Amino acid sequence: MSHPTVALVAFIALFTGYLVLAGIDYGVGLTLPRTGSDAPGRRAVLGAVGPLLLGNEAWLLVSVGALAGTLPGLRGALFEGAHPYALIAFAGALALNAGVQLRGRHPGERVRRAFDLLICAAGAAAAFGWGCFLAVTAAGVSLGSDGHVRGVAAPDPFTLLGGLTMVALLATHGSAFVAARLTGDPARRAAALTVVGATLAAALLAVTALTGWVGGSFDGGALRHPVLAALAVVLAVAALFLTRALAGGGRARLAPWATTAAVIAAACAVFAGKYPALLTSTVAGVPAPTVAQLATDETALAAVLWTSGPVLLLVVAAQVYLWLAVWAPARTAAPAPEPLEAPAFS
Amino acid sequence: MAPEDLARLQFGLTVASHYLLVTLTLGLVALVAVAHTRWARTGDPALRRMTTYWGTLYVINYAVGIATGLAMEFQLSANWTGLESTAASVFGAPLAVETVVSFFAESTFLALWIFGFDRLPKYVHLACIWIVAAAAYTSAVWALLANGFMQNPVAYTMRDGHLELTSFGALFANANSWIAIFHIFGGALAVGGFFVLGVSLLLHRRGRADRAFVRHSLKAGAHAGTWGAALVVLSGTVQLGNTRKDQPLKGAVLDGNQAEVTRQLQELAKRFGPLEGPPSGPVLGALTLMMMIGGVLLILGVWALVSLREQRPQAFPPPYAQPYPGQGHPGQWQPTPAPARGQGQGGRKVYPGQWPPGQGPHGPTGQGRRVYPGQWPQGRAPGPQGQYGQYGPYGQPSRPGPYARPGPHAQVYAHAHVGRTPSGEGEVMRSAVLRRVLPFAMALPFLANLCGWAVREVGRQPFVITGILTTRQAMTPGLGAGRLTASLLVLVVLVVCLLGLDWWLLARAAMRGPGEGGLGRGAEPAAASTASAAAPDSLGSGLAGAAHDPRVDPRTHPRAPQASPYGDRSTGAAASPASPASSASAASSREGAHPS
């Protein structure tokens, strides 16, 4: 495999990982008013995702940063073509981070309610933005023959439906996570929400795919492998039905695995369907640039890949460790912490 | 304003905010890592408080720093595509490695560290914070490798308008980058050190922190501040010489040689068209201010180190300093009758108040083993002692050791500290001037860092990449003033809000003191939640969820000490109504009860 291909595959893997992991944060955020009925409930819900937030959100900068360093052409064109949606997504991610960090800093209940709403809106914005971004990627951007993007993609039904689908999908993902990690009232509410969300997400996903197909969004060779894309959509829908069965059947602990499969399948419907030409033009007669054309020069590419590759694997291993530690059910009581000795106020 | 100026203003404001956040992050993480190491080795609870307290401030600052970083990333792709399209491979490669290697590792291991209080094995947890610190500093290295290329381009060829990297090793070996790297490491350490000094003194003044915590923090801060300032001054001197060689135009501006500046601009105009040089006055002013601050910080740092020294009691009293028992004035050496032979046999009690904070009978507490207040470590009981305990007849300690060793002398040391030394109930820092000045001096390193940034980046004008790409060429072609004004307004509001928010949060969290909230408290049994696995995790409690507790009155707070368990004399002082320190301490608890 040549270096540009490795970089492309790495980006797809990192960005899909970002959607799966940060999708939990966004989903938990946007279902927060529903899953947490009272103040302690909301606190427990946010506490469930708390230790993972920083690690999850890092995947955004890592995937985009790696793309900028290895395939600057692809990043430039995609982010220019889908500019407003990327902006919504980035703003949502930013606000969610800030909201979760700041919420606890004020003791007032009313202020916290306001923060809850902000977190909910931010989660919805991030999910919607990335959904639209993926839809624009699937349909292609208005790339001119000179290699410059002519303008941003107009908001057509396919794009907006893509955004809504991602909102429903990540809401299911987040509430399934809450249902699996908590017990008691928040978990019951989250499980009920998962069942509803999975149905809605499956329906929206099917409608979006059909809209794109019927509406001609994939015309002009936008998808290299339409069969693969259709297969991925079917898999995502199947995973959502499995989620429904698991969450409704009292096996909430397993449901997040099914939603994870659904998110991966939804992202792969776009990425695998278009591979290897992630960037296609909606302008007639303009061929899709090859990966090599989008890549930076060979020395820089090799340097980036060989420097960051091993470290990346190590960091991912650390994240897996963190997940295992957080995910493990509290079977054995943790060793009692050493009692803190009293601080002496001088 | 011209589009070029608008874009530069926008980027300048964003980078300045980002830089202010990042220097504090870098400075604090080093101090947190050192404090954690000392905590892991000694088990001293004051060091644990130090780790969690400064760690909380570090994490808040880090989270906001990411946001400004995002704003910067946006501008690079929106306003400066000229730079990206020309130099993507040279400029983009180090930045990509920075995000992937350093940022990812930093965030992940930071999350693991926050989670790991009381959960991870001791040394695995310690390794986490060291990886975070290493990632933070390598992150600065990568960013400055890219910046060093822009100042002094090396290892590239130009092929149809695009720069191509010829050797990654040569890019790595750019002297310009490395001088700047050490300069910024020093600057960051100075920022962190003086921040810790100032905040600790404020906490102490308001009675929000215990003495041992304040002493540990002050010492760490003074060391970081002094050595950071020294590194900055040294590398800055080297950098000034190097600039004249690498960037003659900037060198001429810094020398104030206007004729040479004009001559060089005329030379450059032949290749790039009419150019405007860097504004001489402001750049020179920033350089002067920065150098002055550097000198002031160095003096303050050394002074703080001296002022923090423990006054070590003399091992043996000079003959003239031996008044009859009870007749010396406080602080003077007062011999006490030695106990009868045999009294010092095993298990002899050492009462709280006999050791300087953090010091056990065998040096710092718990080095090697824990020493509990009031106990001799097993097998270390003082043996039979003569008139002068373990000391030889000629005033020489019979065993060399850094700190006063007890024998029957313990009583003596207790007196020797009274009122005179920082470890007594006197001040945490001897110099009253410094105690007044240091809280204000916190601002100086920030200011100096901004000045340094201005000298390096404004001084590079009119180029983005020296001698290759002018600032005008680096902009996105066809970018209008209207769009730039809009994004300038949005971003300036956003970034200024973020910076203000960060400082507000930092001030709130800082003035809460080390006693409450903070990292790692979520694991305490008191915080157990109704939801099973959802006992609010550290991030959830320390940063997101908890710290919700209403502020606790230190007088009624159950954790507020009535008698300090480890030899801290402050409570003893508070018990005696005549002591001036006690009224100060009472005043500070009143202040603590009614926070402004």
Side-chain angles (χ1 to χ4, degrees):
Chain A
M1 236 186 331
S2 66
H3 281 151
T5 316
V6 174
L8 184 70
V9 172
F11 165 69
I12 292 174
L14 285 174
F15 193 77
T16 309
Y18 162 68
L19 284 181
V20 168
L21 292 173
I24 292 175
D25 308 343
Y26 305 148
V28 169
L30 76 92
T31 55
L32 180 64
R34 191 94 194 102
T35 47
S37 54
D38 51 354
R42 283 190 292 275
R43 188 181 151 179
V45 169
L46 284 178
V49 78
L52 302 163
L53 191 80
L54 207 54
N56 290 349
E57 295 294 327
W59 286 71
L60 170 59
L61 272 183
V62 171
S63 55
V64 176
L67 189 65
T70 52
L71 305 167
L74 180 60
R75 178 192 107 142
L78 278 187
F79 277 75
E80 213 169 320
H83 191 265
Y85 311 116
L87 193 63
I88 292 174
F90 265 93
L94 236 163
L96 184 106
N97 271 308
V100 175
Q101 305 270 9
L102 297 189
R103 185 183 176 277
R105 295 280 154 200
H106 203 287
E109 199 50 48
R110 189 172 293 186
V111 176
R112 287 201 188 152
R113 291 291 305 182
F115 268 116
D116 290 340
L117 288 182
L118 171 77
I119 290 170
C120 173
F128 182 77
W130 288 123
C132 293
F133 180 84
L134 277 183
V136 169
T137 308
V141 299
S142 56
L143 195 68
S145 48
D146 56 351
H148 286 293
V149 176
R150 294 270 176 77
V152 297
D156 58 349
F158 173 64
T159 311
L160 297 180
L161 272 173
L164 289 180
T165 307
M166 191 56 93
V167 172
L169 186 59
L170 293 189
T172 314
H173 194 37
S175 56
F177 175 81
V178 172
R181 247 210 109 194
L182 295 188
T183 54
D185 179 55
R188 270 195 303 280
R189 287 163 156 271
L193 192 62
T194 310
V195 173
V196 179
T199 321
L200 191 65
L204 272 171
L205 189 59
V207 170
T208 308
L210 280 177
T211 311
W213 187 40
V214 174
S217 293
F218 309 135
D219 290 353
L223 292 182
R224 282 282 170 89
H225 315 288
V227 180
L228 261 182
L231 193 66
V233 170
V234 170
L235 271 179
V237 171
L240 283 168
F241 276 107
L242 181 63
T243 307
R244 218 182 139 211
L246 288 174
R251 308 184 68 182
R253 191 90 183 145
L254 292 176
W257 296 106
T259 52
T260 299
V263 175
I264 292 177
C268 281
V270 176
F271 292 136
K274 289 182 86 74
Y275 187 87
L278 252 52
L279 181 65
T280 51
S281 175
T282 49
V283 181
V286 177
T290 63
V291 186
Q293 284 170 337
L294 298 170
T296 172
D297 67 81
E298 192 59 24
T299 319
L301 206 51
V304 172
L305 288 177
W306 285 108
T307 325
S308 44
V311 181
L312 198 66
L313 294 180
L314 198 74
V315 176
V316 170
Q319 287 222 341
V320 170
Y321 177 80
L322 179 64
W323 265 92
L324 289 178
V326 171
W327 192 248
R331 255 169 305 177
T332 52
E338 283 184 41
L340 287 173
E341 278 160 83
F345 290 89
S346 54
Chain B
M1 272 208 268
E4 187 188 332
D5 295 328
L6 283 171
R8 275 184 60 200
L9 181 66
Q10 188 180 352
F11 199 67
L13 284 172
T14 316
V15 177
S17 313
H18 184 66
Y19 185 49
L20 283 179
L21 293 162
V22 165
T23 41
L24 183 58
T25 302
L26 282 178
L28 276 182
V29 73
L31 285 161
V32 172
V34 171
H36 190 161
T37 311
R38 294 180 59 205
W39 168 42
R41 289 187 58 203
T42 64
D44 184 346
L47 287 169
R48 179 189 166 126
R49 284 196 297 282
M50 192 175 157
T51 310
T52 54
Y53 176 77
W54 299 113
T56 308
L57 299 192
Y58 160 68
V59 171
I60 293 173
N61 203 56
Y62 177 77
V64 183
I66 296 176
T68 50
L70 274 175
M72 237 162 70
E73 176 92 33
F74 248 118
Q75 284 176 51
L76 273 182
S77 51
N79 298 349
W80 301 99
T81 50
L83 173 64
E84 288 235 316
S85 68
T86 310
S89 66
V90 191
F91 180 70
L95 286 187
V97 177
E98 193 240 323
T99 27
V100 178
V101 175
S102 302
F103 173 71
F104 201 21
E106 195 178 356
S107 281
T108 302
F109 283 94
L110 183 59
L112 206 56
W113 183 71
I114 294 170
F115 172 77
F117 278 91
D118 301 316
R119 290 199 179 90
L120 290 182
K122 187 162 81 172
Y123 285 100
V124 175
H125 191 209
L126 179 63
C128 286
I129 190 67
W130 276 107
I131 294 176
V132 170
Y137 278 83
T138 45
S139 168
V141 169
W142 292 114
L144 283 165
L145 284 178
N147 182 273
F149 177 84
M150 293 161 80
Q151 307 280 343
N152 176 35
V154 291
Y156 68 92
T157 54
M158 195 78 158
R159 192 180 297 164
D160 45 286
H162 297 286
L163 291 177
E164 289 198 356
L165 189 60
T166 50
S167 150
F168 200 64
L171 181 73
F172 208 83
N174 191 350
N176 191 304
S177 303
W178 284 100
I179 297 169
I181 285 166
F182 285 112
H183 198 54
I184 280 182
F185 283 4
L189 279 179
V191 166
F194 280 92
F195 179 81
V196 167
L197 277 174
V199 173
S200 308
L201 283 172
L202 283 178
L203 284 177
H204 177 64
R205 194 187 291 169
R206 299 188 181 190
R208 301 261 167 83
D210 60 286
R211 185 182 191 82
F213 168 86
V214 172
R215 284 284 301 171
H216 278 309
S217 299
L218 285 177
K219 275 190 218 162
H223 274 289
T226 311
W227 300 118
L231 183 58
V232 158
V233 170
L234 263 173
S235 56
T237 316
V238 179
Q239 193 168 32
L240 208 55
N242 195 58
T243 302
R244 295 201 183 93
K245 186 166 65 69
D246 286 348
Q247 293 161 282
L249 182 58
K250 195 200 275 186
V253 170
L254 294 185
D255 288 339
N257 188 346
Q258 204 54 48
E260 172 69 15
V261 172
T262 321
R263 192 192 65 76
Q264 292 204 19
L265 280 174
Q266 279 166 356
E267 288 271 304
L268 290 170
K270 289 176 197 156
R271 284 167 57 206
F272 294 97
L275 291 174
E276 219 176 299
S280 303
V283 171
L284 213 53
L287 181 74
T288 317
L289 184 59
M290 173 173 72
M291 286 172 152
M292 275 161 50
I293 293 179
V296 169
L297 289 183
L298 203 53
I299 293 168
L300 282 179
V302 173
W303 188 4
L305 278 180
V306 171
S307 187
L308 282 168
R309 280 186 63 198
E310 304 270 359
Q311 208 169 44
R312 290 175 194 172
Q314 288 150 299
F316 193 77
Y320 53 81
Q322 291 188 38
Y324 290 106
Q327 282 186 341
H329 53 78
Q332 198 171 15
W333 221 87
Q334 295 196 8
T336 43
R341 189 173 264 276
Q343 224 180 331
Q345 297 280 356
R348 201 186 107 111
K349 282 268 184 188
V350 174
Y351 293 101
Q354 287 175 337
W355 304 108
Q359 299 300 325
H362 296 280
T365 28
Q367 232 162 33
R369 72 163 69 211
R370 263 187 97 156
V371 178
Y372 295 97
Q375 268 188 335
W376 283 104
Q378 206 165 11
R380 296 281 191 95
Q385 285 154 4
Q387 177 78 29
Y388 293 110
Q390 297 177 333
Y391 297 90
Y394 297 110
Q396 297 300 320
S398 51
R399 264 197 302 161
Y403 285 99
R405 201 172 294 110
H409 284 67
Q411 195 57 41
V412 171
Y413 300 131
H415 282 285
H417 288 302
V418 172
R420 289 293 291 276
T421 67
S423 51
E425 83 263 12
E427 287 299 339
V428 285
M429 189 181 240
R430 265 178 287 165
S431 162
V433 179
L434 272 187
R435 275 184 270 129
R436 290 255 159 247
V437 165
L438 281 179
F440 295 101
M442 269 198 276
L444 288 181
F446 284 109
L447 189 62
N449 268 291
L450 277 189
C451 288
W453 171 78
V455 171
R456 189 169 170 87
E457 304 302 329
V458 179
R460 181 185 51 193
Q461 297 305 320
F463 288 110
V464 162
I465 302 178
T466 306
I468 296 177
L469 192 74
T470 64
T471 310
R472 198 166 303 142
Q473 291 168 336
M475 283 182 59
T476 305
L479 198 59
R483 195 172 139 193
L484 271 171
T485 313
S487 64
L488 173 74
L489 285 179
V490 171
L491 268 172
V492 165
V493 169
L494 186 75
V495 163
V496 168
C497 277
L498 279 174
L499 195 65
L501 205 63
D502 175 63
W503 282 346
W504 174 69
L505 268 180
L506 272 186
R508 269 187 79 100
M511 284 306 122
R512 203 174 275 142
E516 309 157 32
L519 299 164
R521 299 299 158 108
E524 283 178 43
S529 136
T530 47
S532 75
D537 292 299
S538 306
L539 185 73
S541 71
L543 289 167
H548 296 255
D549 319 316
R551 185 164 299 171
V552 187
D553 183 343
R555 286 171 305 180
T556 56
H557 185 33
R559 259 206 234 122
Q562 296 311 307
S564 169
Y566 45 102
D568 191 353
R569 237 79 46 72
S570 56
T571 46
S576 97
S579 155
S582 84
S583 55
S585 127
S588 59
S589 12
R590 275 198 299 281
E591 196 184 328
H594 303 289
S596 50

